[in-house]
Amino acid sequence: MKITVLGFYGGYPSQKIGTTGYLVQSGDFNLLLDAGSSTLLELEKHINPLELDAVLLTHYHHDHTADVGVLQYLWQLNEKIGKTKLPIYGHNEDPLNFGALTWPNASEGFAYNEDTKLELGPFEITFQKTVHPVPAFATRIEDKTSRQVFTFTSDTRFFDELVPFAQNSDLLITDTNFLESYKGTKWHLSTKETAKLFDESASKRLIISHLSPLLELNQVLKETRKFSSKPSRIGLPEVGRVIELE
């Protein structure tokens, strides 16, 4: 399995870096995990977007879905390669946004839920509802052949169930939006909470994501490493970077 970083900021794009989006690949299967602002432009550097096999959305905040509409237009206006419609998977706890996943001659929406494992090409995907102002779901993606595991927290504050959900991940990507000193209401993880999740889940590798454009990235990285027993296994995302799981 390999994961390509398409964008990693939370809230809004900044400094030519888009918001959340990852290309997850195994064999010839191409899965787009979230489609934040500017991610379509980066995706085009790696594959033809018409070669996508599916899109999976963790929730419907704009910094995770801003490019869904233009991706639908691309599928609508161009001659298809193979399949005629792009499958887009999302939860149906928000009927209005879920309904928009289906677009004429472009895409069809499919619902997932946390009680059922999703079989999608080479992947087995399980879901954990997170703690966020809107329904959002962490995703655990396991390659059925290699048994490699990639867990993505999506947006969430810390809660105990995240630890077993992420257990023994080969790669963990976390919503790390706050420094430990932040004192307001937290709907995202702090650096210390991310380190706690990484250590207690016994994950092999951590990439911090959903980073705030208002913070200096190396400061966020340094602080996350300070709180972890495995600092050398923690890194920053980089747009265009391809992470091959070991």
Side-chain angles (χ1 to χ4, degrees), residues 3 18 33 37-38 40 112 114 125 130 172 183 204 208 222 226 230:
I3 294 91
L33 177 61
S37 180
S38 303
L40 182 56
Y112 64 73
E114 65 178 335
I125 305 175
T130 69
L172 174 63
K183 298 300 183 184
K204 295 179 182 177
I208 55 176
K222 182 179 179 180
K226 179 182 75 172
K230 301 176 288 184

Side-chain angles (χ1 to χ4, degrees), residues 5-22 33-39 58-59 61-66 152 154-155 173-178 188 207-220 236-240:
V5 180
L6 306 178
F8 59 78
Y9 272 132
Y12 55 89
S14 181
Q15 303 174 66
K16 299 182 180 180
I17 296 170
T19 59
T20 302
Y22 296 92
L33 177 61
D34 282 346
S37 180
S38 303
T39 56
T58 63
H59 66 297
H61 273 159
H62 297 309
D63 52 344
H64 293 253
T65 63
F152 175 55
S154 185
D155 288 9
I173 295 184
T174 58
D175 164 10
T176 310
N177 200 75
F178 296 121
H188 305 275
I207 299 293
I208 55 176
S209 187
H210 200 277
L211 301 171
S212 171
L214 302 175
L215 297 176
E216 207 284 313
L217 301 187
N218 283 321
Q219 181 186 10
V220 182
L236 287 171
E238 181 181 344
V239 171

Side-chain angles (χ1 to χ4, degrees), residues 3 149-151 169-173 205-207 243 245:
I3 294 91
V149 174
F150 162 42
T151 299
S169 297
D170 294 284
L171 175 66
L172 174 63
I173 295 184
R205 191 174 182 185
L206 171 66
I207 299 293
I243 304 166
L245 300 195

Side-chain angles (χ1 to χ4, degrees), residues 33 54 73 104 195 223 235:
L33 177 61
Y73 292 163
E223 189 171 282

Side-chain angles (χ1 to χ4, degrees), residues 30-226:
N30 301 308
L31 171 65
L32 177 60
L33 177 61
D34 282 346
S37 180
S38 303
T39 56
L40 182 56
L41 285 172
E42 182 61 32
L43 178 67
E44 290 178 325
K45 298 176 184 178
H46 302 275
I47 64 168
N48 182 337
L50 294 170
E51 295 176 343
L52 283 173
D53 293 285
V55 177
L56 175 61
L57 303 175
T58 63
H59 66 297
Y60 300 121
H61 273 159
H62 297 309
D63 52 344
H64 293 253
T65 63
D67 275 13
V68 170
V70 288
L71 177 60
Q72 289 171 314
Y73 292 163
L74 186 150
W75 269 71
Q76 183 182 51
L77 298 173
N78 287 273
E79 186 175 346
K80 309 299 188 295
I81 302 173
K83 63 182 70 63
T84 58
K85 289 187 178 181
L86 175 64
I88 304 180
Y89 293 82
H91 68 76
N92 59 5
E93 296 188 28
D94 180 339
L96 184 63
N97 278 304
F98 177 73
L101 303 184
T102 298
W103 187 257
N105 196 35
S107 64
E108 184 173 359
F110 295 91
Y112 64 73
N113 64 77
E114 65 178 335
D115 298 321
T116 305
K117 184 176 291 186
L118 175 63
E119 302 280 345
L120 193 56
F123 302 128
E124 293 177 345
I125 305 175
T126 52
F127 301 91
Q128 170 72 59
K129 193 170 187 178
T130 69
V131 183
H132 203 54
V134 301
F137 291 83
T139 61
R140 181 182 176 95
I141 303 174
E142 183 168 352
D143 189 306
K144 289 186 283 190
T145 300
S146 69
R147 308 320 298 188
Q148 293 167 329
V149 174
F150 162 42
T151 299
F152 175 55
T153 66
S154 185
D155 288 9
T156 186
R157 68 190 305 169
F158 186 85
F159 61 106
D160 290 340
E161 290 81 2
L162 275 177
V163 173
F165 184 77
Q167 200 70 34
N168 297 317
S169 297
D170 294 284
L171 175 66
L172 174 63
I173 295 184
T174 58
D175 164 10
T176 310
N177 200 75
F178 296 121
L179 296 174
E180 177 56 22
S181 59
Y182 183 80
K183 298 300 183 184
T185 300
K186 288 191 296 185
W187 294 111
H188 305 275
L189 301 177
S190 69
T191 52
K192 186 175 183 179
E193 290 166 336
T194 278
K196 172 183 171 72
L197 174 60
F198 179 48
D199 286 2
E200 293 187 0
S201 69
S203 296
K204 295 179 182 177
R205 191 174 182 185
L206 171 66
I207 299 293
I208 55 176
S209 187
H210 200 277
L211 301 171
S212 171
L214 302 175
L215 297 176
E216 207 284 313
L217 301 187
N218 283 321
Q219 181 186 10
V220 182
L221 175 63
K222 182 179 179 180
E223 189 171 282
T224 306
R225 286 175 168 172
K226 179 182 75 172

